[in-house]
Amino acid sequence: MSLVKLTIKGISYSQTQNGAYALILNEVDGERKLPIVIGAFEAQSIAIALEKEIKPPRPLTHDLFKSFADRFDIVVKQVIIHKLVDGVFYSSIICERDKIEEIIDARTSDAIALALRFNAPIFTYKNILDKAGIYLNNPSESEGETEDEGVLSSPETFGLDDDGNEPKEGYSKLSLSELHSLLESAVQDEDYEKAARIRDEISKRES
């Protein structure tokens, strides 16, 4: 299976789920985005690594791992998002010490936080991107307008209840055509956390 290189576009705060964030990855030689829902701590750790000027007063867990690895001459060579099961992404950290390569299983958010600290590339397999990637076709981009990275726009109201919240039954009662319409709407509004959950529901039904 061929690997596809990814870059980090940004982090979006969830409009509907407290404490949740969507990490947005871009394919390098394409226009698809891969949104991954992550927790607040991991989002903070990734954001700090992206902002080179910010240095926490005490090492975060991923900074401690980096210091530990440096002390024992362990290098993170690359991170591969290798599996997607029921909306959960599985990743591997490819490490090297004394020219011996090791593969370590890791949560995707942790793997990416470490990849940033080691300046290691991030990859996924083409079939995962084909299944979970979101193709953003925004005409305004071709006219020179740019998106605000890592920022969600106003909450999308399609598919919400009268109070503006998602229905308790989630997306289970919607048809596939309704889900695809809702997915397109969420992507256009750059609500990637919502788009990721809709995409996962579609993937479950089509698998």
Side-chain angles (χ1 to χ4, degrees):
M1 292 182 289
S2 60
L3 288 172
V4 178
K5 190 173 183 180
L6 303 170
T7 59
I8 297 175
K9 179 187 187 305
I11 300 173
S12 298
Y13 180 68
S14 170
Q15 298 282 358
T16 58
Q17 187 177 346
N18 290 334
Y21 293 77
L23 172 65
I24 316 302
L25 303 175
N26 277 352
E27 62 174 328
V28 171
D29 297 320
E31 299 181 12
R32 285 176 295 183
K33 293 176 173 59
L34 188 66
I36 301 174
V37 179
I38 62 176
F41 172 77
E42 292 80 9
Q44 178 192 50
S45 181
I46 291 171
I48 288 175
L50 288 171
E51 297 291 338
K52 304 297 184 182
E53 296 80 10
I54 300 177
K55 186 174 178 63
R58 300 295 295 153
L60 298 177
T61 302
H62 300 109
D63 298 319
L64 175 61
F65 185 97
K66 174 68 163 60
S67 298
F68 183 91
D70 289 344
R71 183 67 59 89
F72 291 94
D73 297 322
I74 300 170
V75 178
V76 172
K77 305 291 289 185
Q78 63 183 9
V79 163
I80 300 176
I81 304 171
H82 64 86
K83 185 168 66 173
L84 172 61
V85 179
D86 293 334
V88 178
F89 291 91
Y90 293 77
S91 294
S92 295
I93 301 173
I94 314 301
C95 303
E96 185 178 277
R97 181 174 184 266
D98 295 334
K99 297 184 179 181
I100 299 175
E101 189 175 274
E102 298 285 349
I103 301 175
I104 300 175
D105 180 46
R107 295 188 305 169
T108 297
S109 54
D110 290 329
I112 290 175
L114 290 173
L116 285 170
R117 286 162 170 80
F118 283 89
N119 294 317
I122 303 166
F123 296 93
T124 191
Y125 289 109
K126 183 178 180 299
N127 66 323
I128 292 178
L129 194 58
D130 289 341
K131 181 178 180 181
I134 295 174
Y135 187 84
L136 180 61
N137 185 15
N138 190 345
S140 63
E141 290 185 8
S142 62
E143 297 171 3
E145 297 181 13
T146 58
E147 300 176 57
D148 291 328
E149 291 194 358
V151 179
L152 286 179
S153 56
S154 301
E156 172 59 44
T157 57
F158 181 86
L160 305 183
D161 62 20
D162 293 337
D163 296 323
N165 300 314
E166 291 190 14
K168 292 182 180 179
E169 64 272 13
Y171 303 109
S172 60
K173 292 189 176 180
L174 299 179
S175 66
L176 271 176
S177 61
E178 288 173 328
L179 286 172
H180 281 289
S181 296
L182 191 57
L183 175 60
E184 182 179 352
S185 180
V187 171
Q188 291 299 323
D189 281 349
E190 299 179 41
D191 190 343
Y192 295 112
E193 187 265 343
K194 179 179 178 181
R197 285 182 283 107
I198 298 170
R199 174 207 62 203
D200 294 342
E201 177 66 25
I202 293 173
S203 296
K204 288 179 184 178
R205 296 193 194 184
E206 293 182 342
S207 60

